[in-house]
Amino acid sequence: MKGWNLRVFGNIHSRLKQDQLRFETAARISDEDPSDMDKLNSMKAVMAVLSEMRLQQEENIDGDLFDYEHDSISAEESIAMDIIPTPDEIRQAVFDLGADSAPGPDGFSGCFYRHCWDIIQEDLIKDIMHCWNSGHIPNGVNSSLIILLAKVRGANTLHNFRQIGLSNFFFKIFTKILATILGSVLDKMVSEEQVAFMKGRNIHENISLASEMVNELHIKRKDGNIGLKLDISQAFDTVSWSFVLEVSVIMDFMRIGVLGFLISCNRLESLFF
């Protein structure tokens, strides 16, 4: 695959880095003497080459590779997801959220909503249904308090702090209802092998499975073995996410000769087998 890629497409990433460096050099030289038209034209020429290389990187995909059938959300399920939540669903969301969670700017925690439910339920349900029906949330509802939590004892630099946002509990009710609705159809959008952040699944199972499969790479098989690891931790602005998602599904079907497909994204690892 590596040889085929070099023969057909060449090392696009290496060429892109070289063109980027040439452009930066040409831009710096042109900035030293903005009145020099030759230097300006030279920079424009290099910029055109860089733009074309970036376009090649984005278009380096054969659409026929992804011509396959897969599970999707039905029309009935799509309509059901847009239905205004019932009073029972709203109450369930309120009581499923943590009672002692830190309050947002409005100062009301989950404990208040639970304790005063009999008093506020009518107005609360009416407001949530109105927002859901109109598709508009009033200003301030989704406001958050941004605070820093120390990762280590004696933290004195920003790198040693973790940023978290404390949202209003009222806004969390919306996100909880949405998460519950999505959870009912998520199995059709995410394969069973993808366990990260899926309720009822355990990512540790795939960590163990990956270790076992890497060990089995040494076993000779008729069709051979292949293991792929894509590190995209520094490529959020250039990676084609649609390509990554499509490849993950293809790997799910191509089980013969394919032992593992691991995507490492910053510190989050999603395993596809």
Side-chain angles (χ1 to χ4, degrees), residues 81 83-94 97 128-129 132 170-184:
M81 294 177 68
I83 296 177
I84 299 176
T86 65
D88 290 338
E89 291 174 334
I90 296 174
R91 183 187 185 282
Q92 187 65 40
V94 171
L97 290 168
I128 292 179
M129 286 185 171
W132 210 282
F170 182 74
F171 183 72
K172 295 178 182 178
I173 299 175
F174 289 95
T175 59
K176 179 63 177 179
I177 296 174
L178 289 173
T180 302
I181 295 174
L182 287 174
S184 63

Side-chain angles (χ1 to χ4, degrees), residues 126-185:
K126 184 186 301 182
D127 289 341
I128 292 179
M129 286 185 171
H130 172 74
C131 293
W132 210 282
N133 188 41
S134 63
H136 173 73
I137 297 178
N139 294 332
V141 172
N142 61 341
S143 298
S144 299
L145 293 174
I146 305 301
I147 68 171
L148 300 176
L149 293 180
K151 297 180 182 178
V152 296
R153 186 184 298 274
N156 55 7
T157 62
L158 190 60
H159 178 73
N160 292 326
F161 288 89
R162 179 182 296 107
Q163 308 95 325
I164 66 170
L166 305 182
S167 303
N168 292 324
F169 190 89
F170 182 74
F171 183 72
K172 295 178 182 178
I173 299 175
F174 289 95
T175 59
K176 179 63 177 179
I177 296 174
L178 289 173
T180 302
I181 295 174
L182 287 174
S184 63
V185 298

Side-chain angles (χ1 to χ4, degrees), residues 71-143:
D71 293 336
S72 60
I73 301 175
S74 64
E76 293 77 11
E77 290 172 328
S78 179
I79 295 175
M81 294 177 68
D82 291 332
I83 296 177
I84 299 176
T86 65
D88 290 338
E89 291 174 334
I90 296 174
R91 183 187 185 282
Q92 187 65 40
V94 171
F95 282 81
D96 283 345
L97 290 168
D100 57 350
S101 61
D106 65 4
F108 296 100
S109 65
C111 183
F112 165 80
Y113 282 79
R114 290 189 181 187
H115 186 75
C116 301
W117 177 253
D118 293 336
I119 301 174
I120 67 174
Q121 61 172 322
E122 184 176 349
D123 291 332
L124 177 65
I125 293 173
K126 184 186 301 182
D127 289 341
I128 292 179
M129 286 185 171
H130 172 74
C131 293
W132 210 282
N133 188 41
S134 63
H136 173 73
I137 297 178
N139 294 332
V141 172
N142 61 341
S143 298

Side-chain angles (χ1 to χ4, degrees), residues 169-236:
F169 190 89
F170 182 74
F171 183 72
K172 295 178 182 178
I173 299 175
F174 289 95
T175 59
K176 179 63 177 179
I177 296 174
L178 289 173
T180 302
I181 295 174
L182 287 174
S184 63
V185 298
L186 206 56
D187 288 339
K188 291 190 175 182
M189 297 185 292
V190 182
S191 65
E192 62 181 355
E193 288 79 15
Q194 297 168 289
V195 299
F197 311 111
M198 289 287 291
K199 186 176 181 179
R201 302 184 185 180
N202 188 354
I203 192 174
H204 299 291
E205 296 177 1
N206 270 3
I207 296 175
S208 301
L209 182 59
S211 177
E212 295 176 4
M213 288 186 167
V214 169
N215 292 334
E216 290 192 1
L217 282 174
H218 302 288
I219 300 177
K220 293 184 178 181
R221 289 181 171 82
K222 179 181 178 181
D223 297 322
N225 301 322
I226 180 174
L228 301 179
K229 179 181 184 296
L230 302 183
D231 188 352
I232 54 177
S233 60
Q234 302 298 327
F236 291 108

Side-chain angles (χ1 to χ4, degrees), residues 225-263:
N225 301 322
I226 180 174
L228 301 179
K229 179 181 184 296
L230 302 183
D231 188 352
I232 54 177
S233 60
Q234 302 298 327
F236 291 108
D237 56 341
T238 59
V239 70
S240 173
W241 288 104
S242 60
F243 177 79
V244 173
L245 294 175
E246 298 286 1
V247 168
S248 68
V249 178
I250 287 180
M251 286 296 183
D252 187 27
F253 288 101
M254 296 172 54
R255 295 182 183 278
I256 300 178
V258 178
L259 285 183
F261 181 61
L262 170 64
I263 293 180

